[in-house]
């Protein structure tokens, strides 16, 4: 049983059965100072991520589409509980515990039955490390955890993760694609940067193993990007990149790491590098800015295959923080995220429906995706 109620940013829809969801709507988190004299305050999430917001709304759209089709689940109404993970393990874990333990007051399921709608499964998380931790808990209850973005090959171990599934290929395929790119262009002397988590560490292990077996390439350097924005460490890493004779850099990391890294790359004016991106930051809109264009232009990246979902675009363009169905305490994900985005961008006079339309139409002009 939960010892306290977590104040999580999310949106909910009642149904006969509930689907959970974990999405990274914000990618920076500020925690209060811990002391023994007062209860810790809830963390503050910031750094609005359009992709994570769009993924969460896509799940809401899918549930609505299923409910409207009487042939798919007759006499059953699907609901959802979607939470912002803020790209932090602790917050994702809180959300998973809240969903598996039940939230809110008991509801009248029928004329003679009271209780909480059962949770069928959880969609998420977007990170391999967070997914590994959450899966170790939900698998105890045989609760399915279906990830749309966790690519670590370690998650393919059915003995360790019996109830885990995913809709994206593992990193084993991504590493093979990168090796094919290196062989295609004859690049045999490359540098590699990885995130300090399961996603980066396992990818580096696979890449090094395949390079050693094929004998067609060597790593000039292998550096781990720190979890936090430690400027001295980023200065050291970029200094190694600038002095190295290798002009090809493979980065297996998340967009938060790339933001911190690119700030130092711009500061030291390190140009002329051929970047190879993992799928985690290939199409990140936060990196598609004029200040980064001279440094990232021409980068190659691995991307998820694009798909068209009829009606999704119109659904996204209708999202508004003042919508009566969204503007409530239980559905604060849209309202808080939208207002924070407007404040950060200083677009106080633009309605959100127009703003989201602009963001959805930003072209990917930096990365050539494979």
């Amino acid at each position: 049983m939960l010892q306290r109620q977590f104040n999580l940013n999310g949106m909910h829809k009642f149904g006969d059965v509930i689907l959970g969801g974990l999405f990274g709507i914000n990618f920076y988190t500020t925690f209060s100072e811990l002391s023994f004299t007062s209860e810790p305050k809830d963390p503050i999430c910031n750094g609005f991520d359009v992709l994570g917001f769009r993924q969460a709304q896509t799940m809401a759209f899918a549930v609505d589409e299923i409910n409207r089709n009487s042939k798919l689940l007759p006499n059953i109404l699907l609901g959802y509980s979607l939470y912002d993970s803020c790209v932090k393990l602790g917050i994702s874990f809180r959300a998973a515990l809240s969903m598996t333990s039940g939230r809110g007051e008991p509801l009248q399921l029928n004329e003679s039955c009271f209780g909480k709608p059962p949770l069928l499964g959880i969609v998420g998380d977007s990170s391999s490390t967070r997914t590994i931790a959450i899966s170790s808990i939900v698998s105890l209850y045989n609760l399915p955890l279906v990830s749309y973005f966790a690519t670590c090959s370690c998650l393919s171990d059915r003995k360790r993760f019996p109830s885990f599934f995913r809709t994206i290929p593992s990193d084993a395929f991504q590493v093979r694609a990168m090796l094919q790119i290196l062989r295609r262009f004859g690049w045999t002397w490359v540098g590699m940067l990885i995130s300090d988590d399961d996603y980066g560490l396992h990818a580096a292990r696979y890449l090094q193993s395949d390079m050693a077996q094929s004998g067609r390439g060597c790593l000039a350097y292998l550096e781990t990007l720190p979890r936090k924005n430690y400027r001295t460490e980023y200065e050291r890493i970029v200094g190694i990149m600038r002095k190295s004779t290798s002009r090809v850099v493979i980065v297996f990391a998340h967009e938060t790491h790339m933001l911190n890294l690119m700030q130092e790359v711009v500061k030291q004016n390190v140009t002329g590098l051929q970047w190879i991106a993992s799928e985690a930051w290939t199409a990140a809109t936060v990196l598609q800015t004029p200040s980064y264009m001279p440094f990232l232009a021409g980068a190659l990246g691995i991307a998820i295959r694009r798909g068209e979902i009829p009606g999704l675009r119109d659904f996204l363009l209708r999202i508004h923080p003042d919508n009566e169905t969204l503007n409530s305490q239980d559905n604060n994900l849209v309202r808080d995220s939208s207002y924070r985005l407007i404040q950060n961008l200083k677009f106080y006079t633009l309605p959100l429906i127009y703003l989201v339309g602009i963001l959805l139409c930003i072209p990917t002009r930096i990365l050539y995706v494979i």
Side-chain angles (χ1 to χ4, degrees):
M1 178 177 291
L2 294 175
Q3 297 299 314
R4 63 188 295 265
Q5 181 68 36
F6 298 131
N7 294 320
L8 299 165
N9 189 24
M11 58 182 294
H12 311 278
K13 180 182 180 67
F14 175 75
D16 300 318
V17 291
I18 302 297
L19 293 176
L22 296 171
F23 302 91
I25 311 299
N26 295 275
F27 47 82
Y28 288 126
T29 309
T30 303
F31 292 89
S32 61
E33 294 185 3
L34 301 179
S35 66
F36 297 99
T37 59
S38 61
E39 183 179 356
K41 296 181 180 179
D42 293 318
I44 300 174
C45 301
N46 51 66
F48 184 74
D49 185 6
V50 177
L51 176 60
F53 179 79
R54 191 164 51 193
Q55 290 170 340
Q57 297 305 319
T58 300
M59 180 172 173
F61 170 77
V63 170
D64 290 343
E65 289 289 286
I66 293 173
N67 287 336
R68 277 196 289 266
N69 192 329
S70 59
K71 297 181 180 179
L72 292 178
L73 293 175
N75 302 321
I76 295 178
L77 182 67
L78 277 182
Y80 54 72
S81 287
L82 312 182
Y83 290 101
D84 180 9
S85 69
C86 299
V87 197
K88 286 294 180 182
L89 174 58
I91 299 178
S92 289
F93 218 71
R94 292 180 182 185
L97 288 175
S98 295
M99 287 186 282
T100 54
S101 301
R103 60 178 300 276
E105 296 297 327
L107 302 169
Q108 183 172 0
L109 303 181
N110 53 46
E111 295 180 355
S112 60
C113 180
F114 288 84
K116 296 182 177 68
L119 181 72
L120 288 186
I122 300 176
V123 175
D125 200 327
S126 60
S127 161
S128 295
T129 296
R130 299 195 299 274
T131 301
I132 290 171
I134 295 171
S135 181
S136 63
I137 297 298
V138 300
S139 63
L140 298 176
Y141 307 97
N142 289 324
L143 190 69
L145 181 68
V146 184
S147 178
Y148 51 91
F149 219 39
T151 58
C152 181
S153 299
C154 58
L155 286 164
S156 299
D157 189 341
R158 186 54 60 192
K159 293 183 179 179
R160 289 183 59 194
F161 310 103
S163 63
F164 172 77
F165 305 90
R166 56 182 159 197
T167 60
I168 184 174
S170 74
D171 286 330
F173 298 94
Q174 189 170 187
V175 169
R176 293 173 193 168
M178 289 183 173
L179 290 173
Q180 290 179 10
I181 293 174
L182 296 179
R183 287 195 291 268
R184 172 66 178 81
F185 293 100
W187 295 329
T188 57
W189 185 235
V190 301
M192 187 173 188
L193 306 177
I194 62 173
S195 56
D196 187 16
D197 54 19
D198 296 279
Y199 174 71
L201 295 174
H202 280 84
R205 188 179 307 165
Y206 277 103
L207 187 68
Q208 286 180 304
S209 176
D210 288 349
M211 275 188 166
Q213 292 179 4
S214 64
R216 296 183 179 181
C218 296
L219 288 180
Y221 55 85
L222 173 60
E223 294 292 333
T224 302
L225 300 176
R227 293 175 181 267
K228 296 184 179 180
N229 188 12
Y230 295 126
R231 296 319 309 166
T232 55
E233 184 65 10
Y234 277 101
E235 288 177 5
R236 183 189 67 82
I237 293 174
V238 175
I240 293 175
M241 297 169 59
R242 180 167 49 84
K243 296 176 183 179
S244 175
T245 55
S246 172
R247 309 315 296 166
V248 180
V249 185
I250 298 175
V251 184
F252 246 98
H254 309 283
E255 59 187 68
T256 52
H257 297 95
M258 281 302 299
L259 284 171
N260 296 330
L261 178 67
M262 290 309 300
Q263 291 176 6
E264 189 61 32
V265 168
V266 173
K267 181 181 178 181
Q268 296 192 27
N269 193 29
V270 182
T271 59
L273 296 179
Q274 175 60 59
W275 299 84
I276 298 181
S278 65
E279 99 294 337
W281 66 275
T282 292
T285 55
V286 292
L287 296 171
Q288 300 177 27
T289 63
S291 59
Y292 297 149
M293 186 73 72
F295 304 90
L296 288 176
L300 299 173
I302 310 300
I304 304 171
R305 184 183 297 274
R306 179 181 176 86
E308 296 294 336
I309 303 177
L312 176 60
R313 181 181 178 84
D314 293 336
F315 174 84
L316 293 173
L317 293 175
R318 288 195 301 269
I319 296 172
H320 195 281
D322 293 329
N323 189 312
E324 293 181 358
T325 61
L326 299 175
N327 191 14
S328 68
Q329 184 63 32
D330 284 342
N331 291 323
N332 56 4
L333 189 148
V334 173
R335 185 184 66 253
D336 291 352
S337 299
S338 302
Y339 285 147
R340 188 178 298 117
L341 174 63
I342 294 174
Q343 184 178 12
N344 290 342
L345 296 179
K346 305 301 181 183
F347 287 153
Y348 295 103
T349 59
L350 288 177
L352 180 65
I353 189 171
Y354 180 57
L355 183 59
V356 173
I358 293 175
L359 293 172
L360 291 176
C361 295
I362 292 178
T364 304
R365 291 179 289 184
I366 293 182
L367 303 173
Y368 297 91
V369 295
I370 305 297

